[in-house]
Each structure stands twice: as structure tokens, then as C-alpha cells.
Amino acid sequence: MTTLSAAGSEAAARSESARLTDGFHLVVEALKVNDIETIYGVVGIPITDLARIAQASGIRYIGFRQETSAGNAAAAAGFLTRRPGVCLTVSAPGFLNGLVALANATTNCFPMIQISGSSNRTLVDLQQGDYGELDQLNAARPFAKAAYRINRVQDIGRGVARAIRTAVSGRPGGVYLDIPGDVLGQAMEAAAAADTIWRVVDPAPRQLPAPEAVDRALDLLAQAQRPLIVLGKGAAYAQADNVIRDFVETTRIPFLPMSMAKGLLPDSHPQSAAAARSLAIARADTVLLVGARLNWLLGHGESPQWSADAKFVQVDIAASEFDSNRPIAAPLAGDIGSVMSALLNGAATRRIVAPADWTNELADRKATNDAAMRRRLADNPHPMRFYNALGAIRSVLQDNPDVYVVNEGANTLDLARNVIEMDAPRHRLDTGTWGVMGIGMGYAIAAAVETGKPVVAIEGDSAFGFSGMEIETICRYRLPVTVVILNNGGVYRGDEVSSACGTDPAPTVLNARARHELIAEAFGGKGYHVVTPAELRSALTAAIASNAPSIIDCELDPAAGVESGHLASLNPTSAATPVSADA
Ligand code: ADP
């Protein structure tokens, strides 16, 4: 029986607890106040309630089947929105799976925050053998732009603010935020807790270039006989599309888009030098790099790919990037929007215009190469090979210019990058700086969730395997994602003869008869199996129009494709003489 005084003290306790909050709620509040609308993750100990509370409070939670894909989705969200994408992971192995994506985000300069639950410090630090025990903070440090741990409930707002600021300011990157389970469960008086949370003001401040640096760059461009602009994914990320376009068109300097900068200006733009890439690179005497690093993707800027005499002007928010490979004659440290505005003003005043004999030289080469490409695409071998499959995809995407394209694989990436034209900025997501496989489904999910637009992922059959189980995620959330699998049955190609004594397949061989479309059907999506370009065209048209999940398994000749795609030269060759089995 409840006495009056007992009822009174229960009520008092209730009102007391009503005035309390805890770590879970504070993380969610701190994210919300900073406009985080979506969390990508995999739940488990100790963060399951965090996902529930986030969902209840109006943050969208997208639950994945494996953390690397959740992290890749967060990274892609960061690239698309300029706000940090958030990934939520459980302790130890879940954290480590997510860390792969955090490292990839940092390498690609995408803003991302991985929030991970972890074991309680007292147990981890004395290595007492806790469930999911791992010193996650120190494990994350080398792979992230920064790594922080929140040790007290009253530091949650500060920790989230610090993570957001670090992820998006300067050169964007991945931030690790460690929250031990006991901190999530800690209670705090709600009114006091409200004061510990704040909204970050101007998280990625503009960084204006020094006037003398702008003059130095303009001097070089004004003297150039064969100037070239290289647009990288930093330029796409910066969302300075109009000023970049104005600068390119005012100066009439040919431009070369790196793969994720395709569409910043349409690939059909008359000044695009993409179809004359080798000539443009070899002959340019002055190169303006805009948000593109002179790394392996640009041959480190070295001759003979580039002219040994070429001078480089580089626009980058990270001054430490300059001189990483070749000397940078005119470094321009600042954010791309501000720097390109300053260059545009100066170029107009000085009337900088690319010489016509240079633009004509490139136009001639483009015409020749375009004709060769048209012939390749018109070729119609049976079974299908890469070019005729990609030709079919290209024609459908030309009719659907708002589609987001995700692309991974070896040959599938190398060839699709050239064949598939982009019209709109930030509509192409691919393997990026590491050339990594496994980003496919995570990136596709983020593109669909963040934009609401249809997504077509063009996948090699091997590349698809790294994140293929996320088809279930795509189907569960009914996302408008079409996965086209160019299935030649192997890593690179599927016809290698095994040198094993028994029946094991060769190392590069998968299964050319695999019916990937059945995976979509297993989870309620639509499956198509196609063997001709005409079938592919009609399946892809229907799949995009359906606005629903689907897989198109596209059966290719297992002999189509070359080892390592365009990167065969990066393979070291074995110096050892093969030893015969009976030696
Ligand atoms: P790509 O692979 O397309 O060549 P990279 O990833 O190598 O491009 O280069 C992107 C560069 O853009 C990085 O060096 C990064 O510091 C820079 N960057 C990113 N965002 C901005 C920005 N807002 N302003 C200036 N530079 C930026």
C-alpha cells in the first residue's frame, strides 16, 4: 500500500529525475544544435540507445550492415554538403571497421566525424579484459585529422563543437570522437547541461589570399603561352562553382577536371581538355591547380608526363601542400571561393586570355580522340565488353542528367571515368585519392539520402563485393539506387587459368556466371540480368524511372579487361625465377 508520504516522495523523485539529463541525450542535443540531420551507423553496445534517442529527436538514423560502409556514407555526405558527415560505431571491431572509412575521408579531405562508444577507461587503462576493450583514442590518432575523447558528461557539448570545427575548418578531414559507455550513461542536471552545449559559429571561416600572392600568380598566367587549369575535388567541395566557371570562361584557359571535379563545368564544355589530356599535360607551360594535389593521380607533376619547364600555380587551403612534389612558383593559400574571386578580378583587369594557337591545338586533338571514342562505343561485340556496356549506360545517363553517379572497380573505373560525361557539379563519387575499393554502396546510400535524387552505382563485380551486403540497407530504406555490375567474373578479368594443382580458381577469378541481381530480389528490390547493350539500356531506363532499389547484372566477356586497369605499371614484377613444383 502506498502511503501519502511515500507518494509524495515518489513524485519528488520523479520531478527530480525530470530535471536530469544524461550523456546520450546531450550528444544528440549537441549534434542537433549544430544542424546534423543524419547519422550513419551500426548499433550495439554501448551506443544503441544513442541511435534510438537521435531518431526520436528527429535526426535521421541510417543503420548499416557493416561500419566501413556507414563511415563511407558519412564521408560522402561530408563531401556533398560541406557539413561533417557523422558515423556511429560500437567499440573495438566496430570502431576499427569505421576507422577504415575515417582514414579514407581524411585522405580525401572530406569532413567526417566518427563517434564511437568505447569501454570504460578504468578497465581499458589497466587492461582488465573488458568486453570490446581497446585503446580506441590512440588507435585512431594516426588515421584521423584529430582524435578527442570525452571523459565527463559536462564536456559533451565541447567535444562535439571541437569535432565539428576541426572536421570542416582549413583542410577538411576525419575526426574521431571517443565516448566511453559510462560517460553516455552519466546523469547531469538538465538546466546546467543546457549551458554546456553550443552552436559553432562560422565553422569553416573564409581564408583570403595575400594580395602579393595573387599578383604573383596573375603575372605567371599573363605570360603563359600554353596555360592549363586542373580542377580537383577540392574545387568541387568548395561549392564555388560560379566563380570558377567565370574565371575559366573569362580567361578561355583550357581546363582538365579530376574525376570527382567532373561536372563542375560540363564535360561537353568547349574548353574541356579532358579528351586531349595527355597532350594538355605534356605541353602546358603554366598550370593552375585548383583544389588538386600533385600526387600520383597527376604523375607527381613530373616529366615526361609534364613538361620539365612547366610552372605551377597552386590554390589550396593547406599551405603545407605546396612543394610536396614539384616547386610551386606561385602558391595561393586560401579558400577556393576567395582565391578564385581575387584571380577573376585580376584576370579581367589584366585581360588575361589563353592564346588561340594553344586552344586550337587542343581542339584538334580533342576532335581526333572524340572520333576514336565514338568508334569504340559503336563497336558491338558479343559477349559484351566494357565499352559497349558503358556506351549504353552513357546514353541513358545523358537522358537523366540529375542522376548521381558512383563508380568503382579497376577497368570499370578507368573506362567509365572517360566514357560517362557529367553535367552537374558534385554528381560523381568514386574511389578517390587512395583508389580504394569498397566505397560503392556507402557512397551511393549517402548520395540518395542527402540529395533525394536517383543514384546509379557503376561497379566492377569485384569492387561490388566489398560492400554488397548494403543492398539490404538500400532496400530497407527504399532508396532510389540502381547498381549496375559490370560482371566479367574476376578481379580485373575472369579468364585466368589456375596454376593450382587442385581445383582452386586462379587468384583473380570470381564467378562470371554469378547472378548478382538475385541479391536485390532477396531483399525486395528489383533484379535485371542483361547480355546486350539494348537490354542494358532498357533495364537502366526502367530502374531509374522506378525510383526504387535495383541491381542490373551485366554479363561481360570474362576476357574483357586488363590487369590493374590503367595502373599496371604500379605492379612490381617478381624478380625470382619460378621454381617448378618437383624441384
Ligand atoms: P583530386 O584527387 O581531385 O586531384 P585532391 O583530393 O588531391 O583532389 O585535392 C584536394 C585539395 O583541395 C586538397 O589539397 C585540399 O586541401 C584542397 N581543398 C579542399 N577544400 C578546399 C577549399 N575550400 N579551399 C581550398 N582548398 C581546398
Side-chain angles (χ1 to χ4, degrees):
M1 200 177 108
T2 312
T3 62
L4 256 184
S5 68
S9 61
E10 267 173 33
R14 268 202 306 277
S15 78
E16 178 69 16
S17 72
R19 280 186 272 120
L20 291 181
T21 184
D22 60 26
F24 290 110
H25 287 87
L26 285 175
V27 173
V28 170
E29 287 309 312
L31 293 173
K32 275 191 81 169
V33 88
N34 282 290
D35 300 331
I36 302 298
E37 293 168 358
T38 308
I39 294 176
Y40 301 90
V42 179
V43 292
I45 296 170
I47 47 85
T48 309
D49 268 354
L50 189 51
R52 286 199 187 102
I53 293 164
Q55 195 176 51
S57 81
I59 291 182
R60 189 165 191 205
Y61 175 77
I62 305 288
F64 282 67
R65 302 303 293 260
Q66 211 262 16
E67 294 84 356
T68 307
S69 288
N72 284 328
F79 170 73
L80 291 169
T81 65
R82 293 189 86 202
R83 289 200 303 274
V86 173
C87 168
L88 184 62
T89 56
V90 301
S91 51
F95 150 78
L96 286 170
N97 287 339
L99 192 55
V100 174
L102 192 75
N104 186 51
T106 306
T107 300
N108 281 283
C109 313
F110 299 160
M112 168 185 167
I113 300 171
Q114 180 182 354
I115 299 177
S116 190
S118 59
S119 296
N120 299 350
R121 297 303 317 153
T122 52
L123 298 171
V124 173
D125 288 348
L126 275 175
Q127 297 186 8
Q128 288 177 261
D130 195 17
Y131 169 83
E133 179 184 295
L134 183 72
D135 184 357
Q136 296 176 192
L137 180 70
N138 283 311
R141 268 195 215 291
F143 301 105
K145 184 177 174 186
Y148 306 117
R149 178 162 51 228
I150 297 171
N151 286 307
R152 306 180 309 167
V153 68
Q154 63 268 36
D155 286 335
I156 285 175
R158 178 176 293 112
V160 169
R162 201 145 169 59
I164 289 172
R165 168 77 69 191
T166 305
V168 294
S169 61
R171 171 182 275 177
V175 176
Y176 176 62
L177 194 55
D178 193 82
I179 316 186
D182 56 342
V183 177
L184 287 170
Q186 270 173 27
M188 189 178 174
E189 208 267 314
D195 294 337
T196 66
I197 283 174
W198 67 87
R199 182 183 170 82
V200 178
V201 176
D202 193 12
R206 291 170 64 210
Q207 297 189 23
L208 305 184
E212 63 276 16
V214 174
D215 284 342
R216 192 186 296 123
L218 289 168
D219 286 348
L220 276 182
L221 291 169
Q223 291 158 18
Q225 294 306 302
R226 294 181 303 282
L228 177 68
I229 297 171
V230 177
L231 300 172
K233 59 181 167 318
Y237 172 79
Q239 297 193 14
D241 310 345
N242 291 341
V243 66
I244 290 173
R245 185 185 190 116
D246 286 353
F247 180 81
V248 169
E249 292 184 343
T250 305
T251 60
R252 292 188 227 149
I253 298 176
F255 71 92
L256 205 54
M258 300 301 286
S259 61
M260 282 181 62
K262 278 163 71 79
L264 199 45
L265 286 93
D267 280 333
S268 55
H269 194 286
Q271 285 173 250
S272 169
R277 182 187 167 95
S278 309
L279 181 72
I281 285 179
R283 295 261 301 138
D285 68 353
T286 306
V287 183
L288 171 59
L289 299 164
V290 185
R293 286 170 281 186
L294 267 186
N295 55 18
W296 68 280
L297 288 159
L298 284 170
H300 303 282
E302 286 168 359
S303 77
Q305 241 177 298
W306 297 82
S307 157
D309 303 326
K311 293 192 169 49
F312 284 84
V313 179
Q314 185 164 21
V315 183
D316 206 295
I317 202 142
S320 58
E321 186 56 41
F322 306 136
D323 303 301
S324 59
N325 284 276
R326 268 186 78 146
I328 300 300
L332 276 162
D335 74 273
I336 285 168
S338 303
V339 175
M340 294 311 291
S341 298
L343 287 181
L344 176 62
N345 290 338
T349 319
R350 297 182 187 215
R351 297 182 200 284
I352 294 176
V353 175
D357 48 358
W358 168 233
T359 54
N360 291 340
E361 182 182 346
L362 291 175
D364 288 349
R365 177 66 66 89
K366 262 176 77 173
T368 311
N369 290 350
D370 279 343
M373 173 67 86
R374 274 197 299 279
R375 279 195 301 278
R376 252 183 244 127
L377 294 176
D379 200 19
N380 193 13
H382 190 78
M384 257 192 299
R385 297 177 74 91
F386 283 96
Y387 273 110
N388 55 327
L390 288 168
I393 297 171
R394 169 180 151 126
S395 68
V396 177
L397 294 185
Q398 277 167 347
D399 296 337
N400 293 276
D402 60 341
V403 162
Y404 280 74
V405 173
V406 173
N407 188 199
E408 64 175 334
N411 295 277
T412 303
L413 176 86
D414 289 337
L415 303 179
R417 187 174 46 215
N418 293 340
V419 172
I420 306 297
E421 300 200 311
M422 304 304 302
D423 271 345
R426 293 168 295 284
H427 275 52
R428 183 187 155 88
L429 298 154
D430 67 27
T431 57
T433 303
W434 265 345
V436 66
M437 299 301 134
I439 47 85
M441 298 306 102
Y443 281 12
I445 290 169
V449 167
E450 298 292 332
T451 71
K453 293 282 192 309
V455 178
V456 172
I458 307 170
E459 302 273 313
D461 55 322
S462 161
F464 170 71
F466 289 85
S467 65
M469 191 62 191
E470 301 303 342
I471 289 295
E472 188 278 324
T473 310
I474 290 168
C475 289
R476 188 163 20 104
Y477 290 92
R478 303 300 303 161
L479 298 174
V481 174
T482 304
V483 182
V484 182
I485 298 172
L486 299 188
N487 182 12
N488 66 350
V491 183
Y492 312 128
R493 53 197 279 169
D495 64 343
E496 186 179 346
V497 177
S498 171
S499 53
C501 307
T503 53
D504 285 349
T508 57
V509 166
L510 297 171
N511 181 354
R513 298 284 160 266
R515 298 290 296 267
H516 295 91
E517 78 281 9
L518 300 179
I519 305 176
E521 290 176 10
F523 298 115
K526 176 102 172 116
Y528 304 84
H529 176 244
V530 300
V531 296
T532 66
E535 287 173 3
L536 175 51
R537 251 191 307 275
S538 91
L540 184 55
T541 304
I544 293 173
S546 75
N547 238 12
S550 41
I551 292 183
I552 303 174
D553 182 276
C554 194
E555 196 175 307
L556 297 194
D557 186 345
V562 292
E563 179 141 339
S564 302
H566 288 175
L567 301 180
S569 63
L570 297 183
N571 281 318
T573 46
S574 168
T577 315
V579 179
S580 73
D582 56 354

